């Protein structure tokens, strides 16, 4: 993936915006950033799109703002001049894609069939839009289409919402989702930016899906660890002895020696460790990068926070 798509992967959700009045662009972008989504696809369905992109790109250079529904070279030129960092089209128009590539802007064209995916591959792309997602078979069709195209990644858009978001993002060939449920036109027109911010934050929380996985307790040696673990048998937690620790059920881990943390550690589950590290990092959370562990696809599977919580180290693991 190119750098823009890698950044969108970490963000996870790209709000798809149809804006009628450019004056709303600045407070809308601020609401999205405050809510945790520093990205937007501003669609060229309205006359205000070009100016909205210009305002957002100038006022919020940290925001990944792109232009959507770009259908021809003239719109592509305007989008680039306004500051769009990527361009999205609803369908696959080869000449349009080639032109956007020629002006040096990352392009994510729409696809719905294997034939369109193959055309994208021929043009050197490894990220495409899947649109309209729900009407075209949803995640089941993406999984079927992705099988022979092992290096292609998809951005489903159209019918994606809070309830089905993680059905899509749970598939490793989906690099992000486009959605408009938190940026509905009526909310923008009514100036309800506090509501948009709250819905954006809710979307991020739903995407990350934080859960409590287990608590780790530091003990001095193997015998002490087994003894402590056995105490939790009072609650029906079966003891399971491992190499470095003893589990009591699945929620208590007793270390056989001093592990991370003064007293032990707390494991927090998340749907995607990469995205959790990104979003928490945007809130100022620091991580101990020496603790990072990666899977075969080079995605994070374990990451410890730098700061202890009440004497406990805290780490993220995949749900």
């Amino acid at each position: 993936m190119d750098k823009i798509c890698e950044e969108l992967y970490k963000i996870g959700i790209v709000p798809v915006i149809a804006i009628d009045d450019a004056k709303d662009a600045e407070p809308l972008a601020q609401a999205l950033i405050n809510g945790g989504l520093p990205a937007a696809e501003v669609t060229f369905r309205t006359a205000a799109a070009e100016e909205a992109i210009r305002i957002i790109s100038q006022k919020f250079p940290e925001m990944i703002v792109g232009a959507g529904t770009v259908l021809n070279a003239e719109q592509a030129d305007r989008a680039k001049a306004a500051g769009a960092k990527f361009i999205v089209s609803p369908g696959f128009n080869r000449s349009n894609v080639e032109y956007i590539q020629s002006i040096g802007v990352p392009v994510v064209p729409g696809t719905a069939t294997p034939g369109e995916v193959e055309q994208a591959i021929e043009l050197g792309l490894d990220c495409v839009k899947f649109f309209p997602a729900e009407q075209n078979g949803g995640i089941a069709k993406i999984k079927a289409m992705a099988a022979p195209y092992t290096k292609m990644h998809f951005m489903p858009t159209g019918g994606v919402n809070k309830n089905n978001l993680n059905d899509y993002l749970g598939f490793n060939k989906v690099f992000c989702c486009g959605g408009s449920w938190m940026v509905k036109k009526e909310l923008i027109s009514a100036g309800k930016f506090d509501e948009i911010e709250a819905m954006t934050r809710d979307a991020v929380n739903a995407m990350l899906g934080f859960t409590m996985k287990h608590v780790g307790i530091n003990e001095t040696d193997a015998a002490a660890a087994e003894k402590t673990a056995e105490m939790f048998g009072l609650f029906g937690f079966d003891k399971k002895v491992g190499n470095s620790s003893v589990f009591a059920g699945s929620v208590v881990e007793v270390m056989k020696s001093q592990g991370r943390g003064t007293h032990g550690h707390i494991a927090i589950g998340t749907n995607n460790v990469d995205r959790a590290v990104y979003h928490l990092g945007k809130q100022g959370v620091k991580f101990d990068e020496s603790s990072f562990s990666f899977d075969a696809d080079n995605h994070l599977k374990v990451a410890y926070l730098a700061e202890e919580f009440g004497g406990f180290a805290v780490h993220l693991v995949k749900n």
Side-chain angles (χ1 to χ4, degrees), residues 24-220:
D24 293 325
E26 183 174 350
L28 175 59
Q30 188 66 68
L32 292 175
I33 291 171
N34 291 348
L37 293 179
E41 176 191 328
V42 180
T43 66
F44 264 67
R45 298 178 187 179
T46 69
E50 181 181 355
E51 183 60 20
I53 292 171
R54 181 173 290 107
I55 290 170
I56 295 172
S57 63
Q58 291 176 352
K59 298 280 187 179
F60 306 97
E62 74 277 20
M63 193 164 185
I64 310 298
V65 59
T69 322
V70 173
L71 305 176
N72 52 54
E74 183 264 341
Q75 289 180 329
D77 286 336
R78 288 165 52 204
K80 179 181 179 180
K85 296 179 180 177
F86 65 99
I87 289 176
V88 182
S89 62
F92 195 95
N93 179 318
R94 188 183 183 94
S95 62
N96 191 39
V97 173
E98 289 179 320
Y99 182 78
I100 296 168
Q101 288 179 310
S102 76
I103 63 174
V105 182
V107 57
V108 184
T111 62
T113 67
E116 291 168 331
V117 172
E118 291 193 14
Q119 290 185 70
I121 293 171
E122 189 177 12
L123 292 178
L125 300 176
D126 60 5
C127 294
V128 295
K129 181 176 180 176
F130 179 69
F131 177 81
E134 281 293 284
Q135 295 84 348
N136 264 311
I139 187 59
K141 184 171 181 181
I142 292 177
K143 288 180 177 179
M145 283 213 311
Y149 308 120
T150 57
K151 295 185 179 180
M152 183 56 72
H153 302 84
F154 298 85
M155 179 176 74
T157 307
V160 179
N161 56 54
K162 177 184 171 182
N163 296 324
N164 62 17
L165 174 67
N166 286 311
D167 294 337
Y168 288 102
L169 291 177
F171 181 45
N172 64 356
K173 297 302 181 184
V174 170
F175 71 99
C176 68
C177 286
S180 59
W181 75 93
M182 79 295 289
V183 285
K184 293 180 179 179
K185 285 183 70 174
E186 56 267 28
L187 294 177
I188 298 171
S189 298
K192 295 184 177 181
F193 300 110
D194 54 345
E195 188 171 339
I196 290 171
E197 179 181 333
M199 292 178 69
T200 299
R201 187 174 294 107
D202 183 59
V204 171
N205 288 336
M207 172 180 66
L208 297 179
F210 288 124
T211 59
M212 185 73 174
K213 298 296 284 186
H214 67 260
V215 174
I217 301 171
N218 288 337
E219 274 292 3
T220 54

